[in-house]
Amino acid sequence: MAAAINITAAMRTPVDAHDLRHHGDAEVRDAGLTDLAVNVRCGTPPEWLRERITSSLTALAAYPDGRAARAAVAQRHGVPVERVLLTAGAAEAFVLLARALTVRHPLVVHPQFTEPEAALRDAGHQVARLLLKEEDGFRLDPAAVPEAADLVMIGNPTNPTSVLHPAADIAELARPGRLLVVDEAFMDAVPGEPEALAGRTDIPGLVVLRSLTKTWGLAGLRIGYVLAEPGTIAALEQAQPLWPVSTPALAAAEACMGPGALKEAEQAAQVIATERAHLLAGLAEFDEVRVVAAAEAPFVLVHVRRGAEVRERLRALGFAARRGDTFPGLGPGWLRLAVRDRVTTNRFLQALDQALTMVGD
C-alpha cells in the first residue's frame, strides 16, 4: 500500500518548467557552430550505406515491404520476427507505447531523454518521476521504483548522464503486469554491448527500443525498432498507420543488421571509448567543471559553475553544447557534450578555458 501511495502522490505533482520538447538539434540549427550538442556520430552515414539507400529509390513506386528488414533485425538479435516492430525512429515507438497500451501508473526514471514522458503526457497519462541523484552517480536503485508502477521507462546507457546501468539491476524491475521499457538507442556505441537486454526473451513485460539514428547518422531518415513479446508487438503494430517506415529506411535497417555493419559499429564504439577518455581527461583539468565520470555513451555530462553563461560564451566561440536544464533532475549548470575526434576535442577544451575565464568568478 505504501508504494501505491507514493506513486499516486508523485502523479499529483504538477508539470514543472522543464521543456520536454527541447532537443539538441535546436542548439545548432542555422547557427554554423561546431556541434557538440547532437549525439549523431560524425562522418555518417558511410558511403556503402548511402549507396544501399540510394539504390532503394528505384522501388519508390511500390508500397514499402518491411519483411526483409524485419527478418534481418530478428536474426541480428536472435528472436522470432513476431517479437520485432520497425518504427519511424524511436520517437514513433514512444508515441505508440503511450497510446496503444493500457497503463495506469507510468513512471519515468530521470534524468533521461524527455520524449518518452512528453509522449505519455500528450496521451493523457499522469507520469510519475524517479529522479536519480548525482551523489549516487545517477545510478539506478531498483528498490526505489514503486511496486505500483505498471510501466517503467529507463534509458541504458542513459541520455544525458552517459551511465550504463547493469542489466541485472534493470531486469530486477520486471514484475507481472508491468511493462519494463528500456531505451537502448546508444547501446551499439558501447563496445561489446555488455549490459544489453535486446534479444532477452526471459524477462516478462520487457520492451527494448533501438535506434539506427546515432551510430549510422540517419536522423533524417527515421528508422528504429521495438523488441518485445508478440502480444505487445501486435498491439503497437495495430496502432501504427499503414506503411509507417519508408522504403529507403527499410533498406537502411536491413543493411545495418549485416555482419560487416555490426563489425563497423563495434570498431566505431572502440574509437568513441578512446576519444571519450581523452575528453574526460581534458575536462578533469578544470576546477570549475564536475564530470559524471562513469560515462559509457558517446557523450558526457558535466556541471559547470555558471553553466548557462559558459554555454553562451562557448557559442560565441563557435561551439554548441547541449543545455541540461531541460532534463528533469538537472539545472542550468549542467551541459551535455558529444564525444568528437581528438582535434575537435582539443579545440573545444581551449574554447572552454576561454569561456570560463571570460565568465570569471
Side-chain angles (χ1 to χ4, degrees):
M1 179 63 70
I5 293 173
N6 288 340
I7 196 168
T8 302
M11 289 179 179
R12 287 199 296 266
T13 303
V15 179
D16 58 21
H18 291 92
D19 181 3
L20 301 181
R21 292 296 190 188
H22 182 86
H23 301 298
D25 62 316
E27 309 279 353
V28 294
R29 194 176 295 146
D30 303 322
L33 303 175
T34 298
D35 178 14
L36 275 69
V38 178
N39 295 319
V40 174
R41 183 165 65 100
C42 291
T44 53
E47 180 62 29
W48 63 265
L49 182 53
R50 290 198 297 269
E51 291 176 356
R52 287 287 295 271
I53 294 169
T54 300
S55 67
S56 75
L57 299 181
T58 59
L60 291 185
Y63 286 97
D65 183 349
R67 288 177 296 178
R70 190 176 185 182
V73 172
Q75 182 176 7
R76 183 256 194 269
H77 292 287
V79 298
V81 293
E82 294 79 14
R83 297 184 70 97
V84 176
L85 181 69
L86 301 171
T87 60
E92 186 199 11
F94 297 135
V95 173
L96 293 174
L97 287 166
R99 296 181 179 179
L101 303 180
T102 302
V103 295
R104 297 180 58 198
H105 302 306
L107 178 140
V108 179
V109 180
H110 283 292
Q112 82 148 3
F113 186 51
T114 54
E115 199 62 34
E117 179 172 327
L120 286 163
R121 291 189 182 278
D122 288 347
H125 295 284
Q126 291 182 295
V127 183
R129 293 174 178 172
L130 173 62
L131 300 180
L132 305 184
K133 303 297 183 182
E134 181 188 5
E135 54 265 32
D136 299 325
F138 293 111
R139 294 191 176 280
L140 172 70
D141 175 6
V145 175
E147 289 291 331
D150 57 0
L151 183 151
V152 177
M153 164 65 73
I154 186 169
N156 202 37
T158 300
N159 173 16
T161 64
S162 200
V163 170
L164 182 66
H165 304 286
D169 287 352
I170 295 179
E172 191 177 329
L173 298 176
R175 301 283 190 278
R178 170 185 285 176
L179 288 169
L180 174 57
V181 183
V182 186
D183 178 6
E184 291 189 350
F186 294 99
M187 188 63 80
D188 61 353
V190 179
E193 301 188 11
E195 306 301 338
L197 291 173
R200 291 280 296 271
T201 60
D202 59 321
I203 301 174
L206 177 65
V207 179
V208 175
L209 311 183
R210 287 276 180 129
S211 170
L212 301 179
T213 293
K214 316 303 181 184
T215 290
W216 298 111
L218 299 176
L221 198 59
R222 310 311 306 142
I223 178 65
Y225 54 91
V226 182
L227 304 170
E229 296 168 349
T232 300
I233 293 295
L236 298 177
E237 188 172 21
Q238 190 172 18
Q240 276 186 313
L242 292 173
W243 313 292
V245 180
S246 70
T247 294
L250 292 170
E254 185 178 0
C256 291
M257 297 299 112
L262 297 178
K263 181 179 179 180
E264 182 175 326
E266 175 65 19
Q267 292 171 340
Q270 296 284 354
V271 171
I272 288 169
T274 299
E275 297 299 339
R276 183 180 59 241
H278 178 70
L279 173 59
L280 290 172
L283 292 168
E285 297 297 319
F286 296 97
D287 293 336
E288 305 93 335
V289 177
R290 198 165 68 244
V291 181
V292 179
E296 298 284 352
F299 48 86
V300 300
L301 182 66
V302 301
H303 187 277
V304 183
R305 176 176 51 80
R306 299 173 67 177
E309 297 174 59
V310 170
R311 185 173 66 87
E312 289 304 317
R313 292 290 187 178
L314 285 170
R315 292 182 68 82
L317 293 167
F319 289 87
R322 171 65 159 90
R323 59 189 285 196
D325 61 331
T326 64
F327 295 100
L330 302 181
W334 292 96
L335 303 175
R336 191 193 68 196
L337 307 172
V339 174
R340 299 298 187 222
D341 62 90
R342 188 76 45 107
V343 172
T344 302
T345 293
N346 289 343
R347 289 177 47 237
F348 166 73
L349 292 170
Q350 292 174 351
L352 177 60
D353 188 28
Q354 295 178 53
L356 290 169
T357 301
M358 287 188 285
V359 169
D361 295 328

